[in-house]
Amino acid sequence: MNKTTATLQLNKSKKIDIRNIYVFSFMLIVLIVLLMANILIGSIGISFRDVFDAIINPNLRNTDVKAGALWKIRLPRVVAVLFLGGALALSGFLLQTFFANPIAGPYVLGISSGAKMMVAIAMIVAASNGTGLFPSVMILSAFAGSIISMVLVLAISRKLNSTAMLIVGGVMIGYICSAITDFVVTFADDSSIVNLRSWSLGSFSGMTWDSDRIIVISVTAASVLAFMMSKQIGAYQLGEGYAKSVGLNVIAFRTLLVIVSSFLSAVVTAFAGPISFVGVAVPHIVRSLLKSSRPIIVIPGCFLVGANFCLLCDLVARTVASPIELSISSVTAIFGAPIVIMVMVRRRKLG
């Protein structure tokens, strides 16, 4: 490499770094705007003055309607949406890396449906025994369902080397898990059915500070682990042969990738139900914005854009038909499905 070439590459690298700073700054500004919009807008209008009064006077939380709505409903929900949206997008990115498939995602591959099935069974068992379902049990149940679905998807991927057939297989697994869920719900009592139907459609409602605590700890731990794997993910993206040549234990790495992606998807499903298209669409949005596939910048980018995407969709779901709240999956499908179609068309043209 001569001096001129090295200088050009260095200048190009600087331009990319500057662009990434601008993009991340823009995403953070959008995040702040959406956070404020989700806090202020709703069936009960809350002003900046109301927020300020609630912060400086905690006693208002139990006496003032707006302060109570802010601290008991709006803020817990916003925190949950932020972390669960980021988790879902990051799970999608890890799955797309694992399968080297741009259409892979927890919802498309039936992983969310597997998690939903196990949580539904756990809910019904707990209700039949007259007990509630602890958040830790919900996460473990969802994780078990995610792993079961992932194992089935892996079995299909080993037999079929076709992207289209892998997606079809994932959709079929999703249908099977949903059918089992419906069958189990048939034998549940009325109260369980109401709760299950509301949750199974996907919703960020009903979040509390107790659930937020578990969500924040779980998602943060898994996301940090994913970020620490950035170097290994970058090597794996260049092919298994290259990854082995740089000393990566591919089997252990793939196992960890499955565990982290399934866990992130499980946390989302446990608390918000199955949410469509976020895990598939957001990684493509991030790569387009950053003009890069480097995991060390795509991973935080996915988390930020995933949070923004779900905050926007949740705002629409809450307000567009107020006082009726739309299913969050219906809104994410409206925004996410066109992106997935565009990716498939572009892939077809390149093929």
Side-chain angles (χ1 to χ4, degrees), residues 31 55 112 118 180 204 250 254 278 321 326 342 346:
L31 179 66
I55 292 174
S112 294
M118 293 304 293
I180 294 173
F204 290 115
V250 174
R254 284 169 62 91
V278 179
L326 302 177
M342 187 170 58
R346 184 182 300 173

Side-chain angles (χ1 to χ4, degrees), residues 13 34 49 51 197 214-215 239 241 250 260 281 288 305 321 325-326:
S13 176
L34 287 171
R49 178 69 185 182
V51 175
R197 283 178 178 168
I214 297 171
I215 289 169
V250 174
V260 175
S288 297
V305 176
E325 183 173 321
L326 302 177

Side-chain angles (χ1 to χ4, degrees), residues 87-112 146-147 149-151 153-154 157 166-167 226 233 236-237 253-254 256-266 278-280 283-284 287 302:
L88 199 53
L90 185 51
S91 175
F93 169 73
L94 296 178
L95 288 172
Q96 288 173 11
T97 299
F98 183 90
F99 289 104
N101 188 325
I103 312 299
Y107 191 87
V108 174
L109 294 179
I111 295 169
S112 294
S146 296
I147 291 295
S149 295
M150 178 65 88
V151 169
V153 171
L154 287 173
S157 67
L166 175 63
I167 300 303
I233 292 172
Y236 183 78
Q237 286 177 335
F253 170 78
R254 284 169 62 91
L256 186 59
L257 207 60
V258 166
I259 291 172
V260 175
S261 60
S262 297
F263 181 77
L264 286 168
S265 176
V278 179
V280 180
H284 295 290
R287 293 188 192 98
C302 280

Side-chain angles (χ1 to χ4, degrees), residues 9 42 72 105 116 122 124 127 130 156 162 164 199 219 231 235 238 278 291 294 332-333 347 349:
Q9 289 186 350
K72 296 177 183 179
K116 179 180 77 170
I124 291 171
I156 292 172
S162 167
W199 166 83
V219 171
K231 186 176 179 180
L238 296 175
V278 179
K291 303 296 182 185
R294 292 172 58 198
T332 55
R347 186 175 175 84
K349 287 180 179 179

